Amino acid sequence: MRQTVYADMLFCVNFIIDYIMLISVKHIMSLRAGRMKMLFAAALGGMFSMILLVPPISFVLSALMSIAEAVIMSAAAFMPVRMKTVLKASGLLFCISFCFCGAMTAVCALFSPDNTLIRNGAVYIGISPTVLILTTLICYVLLRIFYSIMNTGPVRNSRCSASIEHNGKKLNVKGMIDSGSTLHEPFSGECVIVGREDVFEEMTDVKKYMNGSGNMQADRNIRLVPFRSVGGNGLMPAFRPSKITIRSENTEIKVNAYLALCDRKVFSEDCEIIVPSELIMKGS
């Protein structure tokens, strides 16, 4: 039996599916990505789905094209980050897509639904626009609930201690793990720990950049990290310590992150660093 495929519906269905998969990759890997970049990457995925309209191709060629699609979509959604991060996101996106296609194939084999077609790694589901919109909203709400639950785990706003080494010096400090801290270094995408400037001033020369002196290009380890707060917006100077070890609730993990320096007035008396909870989840 011949199957009628509408190109606009093919694009819309795959655009929504790809957007949901990109959201999953973003949260699983704790990546930073703006909504417009995610939508653009999902639109690229919708364009790739047009391969369903061509005659069947070999499994190997289909797999290679799916891998290329995953890399392009991940780069579009999550750049600028290191290429290693893009490749990890691409691999995760490909695995999620592969599982989804496998699940859809099983559904088609078991139930033989009408107006459903899988070819060349693309999926077409012939449903009405109303059902498509409702399904999208339901999936989005469920994902938001799921990730909200995930973000209220045991690392939420708990105490920790850390050992930080840099330039041959080592400091042991006390801090807090904060789920509300979402700072990232804009070029690498790495998480940013916020530290009291008076505690770390002897470990690095970052303080001179706060006073407007020094040449940042002379030290590639120095970064300026943008932040937004209730009190306003600004830039914090940051450096990347050679070694960071965080201890929390009998757990010790080594992490890679930038350390931004901030005035001590934003810290409580027994807190010297603020650690984003996603950094703990990455290292666990």
Side-chain angles (χ1 to χ4, degrees):
M1 183 177 68
R2 299 185 64 178
Q3 172 72 52
T4 301
V5 176
Y6 297 95
D8 55 347
M9 187 58 65
L10 173 64
F11 174 84
C12 289
V13 168
N14 283 273
F15 170 79
I16 292 169
I17 292 172
D18 289 332
Y19 185 70
I20 292 173
M21 290 193 294
L22 285 168
I23 290 176
S24 299
V25 172
K26 174 184 175 180
H27 284 276
I28 291 172
M29 294 187 62
S30 297
L31 296 173
R32 187 184 185 188
R35 183 172 299 173
M36 294 306 298
K37 293 175 67 175
M38 297 275 284
L39 291 172
F40 175 70
L44 291 177
M47 295 300 296
F48 271 106
S49 69
M50 296 299 166
I51 194 175
L52 181 140
L53 301 176
V54 305
I57 60 178
S58 67
F59 174 79
V60 174
L61 181 57
S62 176
L64 291 175
M65 294 187 68
S66 296
I67 293 173
E69 176 187 0
V71 173
I72 293 172
M73 288 175 59
S74 297
F78 306 120
M79 289 289 279
V81 292
R82 291 179 298 177
M83 194 60 196
K84 182 179 179 181
T85 302
V86 173
L87 294 177
K88 285 183 177 180
S90 303
L92 179 58
L93 181 61
F94 176 78
C95 290
I96 294 174
S97 178
F98 184 82
C99 292
F100 174 77
C101 285
M104 289 302 300
T105 301
V107 169
C108 290
L110 291 173
F111 304 105
S112 299
D114 296 332
N115 300 324
T116 301
L117 179 63
I118 301 174
R119 187 165 65 196
N120 300 334
V123 176
Y124 174 77
I125 306 173
I127 57 179
S128 69
T130 302
V131 174
L132 179 62
I133 293 172
L134 289 175
T135 303
T136 303
L137 290 174
I138 291 172
C139 290
Y140 183 77
V141 170
L142 290 176
L143 280 173
R144 294 293 296 181
I145 293 174
F146 173 75
Y147 291 123
S148 296
I149 294 173
M150 290 291 290
N151 287 334
T152 56
V155 298
R156 184 180 177 92
N157 298 336
S158 59
R159 296 287 177 175
C160 69
S161 62
S163 172
I164 300 176
E165 299 180 30
H166 190 64
N167 288 338
K169 300 177 181 179
K170 181 177 180 180
L171 283 175
N172 294 312
V173 293
K174 297 178 293 183
M176 173 182 290
I177 301 173
D178 183 12
S179 61
S181 178
T182 59
L183 290 175
H184 292 78
E185 196 280 317
F187 294 101
S188 66
E190 289 192 354
C191 292
V192 174
I193 298 171
V194 180
R196 275 174 45 184
E197 62 177 353
D198 60 313
V199 174
F200 296 97
E201 60 183 359
E202 295 185 1
M203 179 175 281
T204 175
D205 293 329
V206 167
K207 188 174 181 179
K208 65 183 179 181
Y209 299 109
M210 299 180 73
N211 299 326
S213 62
N215 181 11
M216 289 187 63
Q217 294 182 350
D219 188 348
R220 297 184 178 181
N221 189 45
I222 304 296
R223 296 287 190 273
L224 289 177
V225 177
F227 71 90
R228 295 180 181 178
S229 66
V230 177
N233 305 333
L235 296 170
M236 288 188 295
F239 68 100
R240 195 175 190 275
S242 56
K243 186 177 180 181
I244 304 175
T245 304
I246 299 176
R247 304 175 186 86
S248 174
E249 298 180 354
N250 299 320
T251 300
E252 180 177 296
I253 58 174
K254 292 180 172 61
V255 299
N256 295 315
Y258 277 85
L259 179 61
L261 302 187
C262 187
D263 191 274
R264 64 179 299 164
K265 64 183 179 182
V266 304
F267 297 86
S268 60
E269 189 66 28
D270 59 344
C271 179
E272 295 165 312
I273 59 171
I274 299 174
V275 181
S277 60
E278 67 176 82
L279 185 62
I280 305 300
M281 290 186 283
K282 278 184 177 181
S284 300

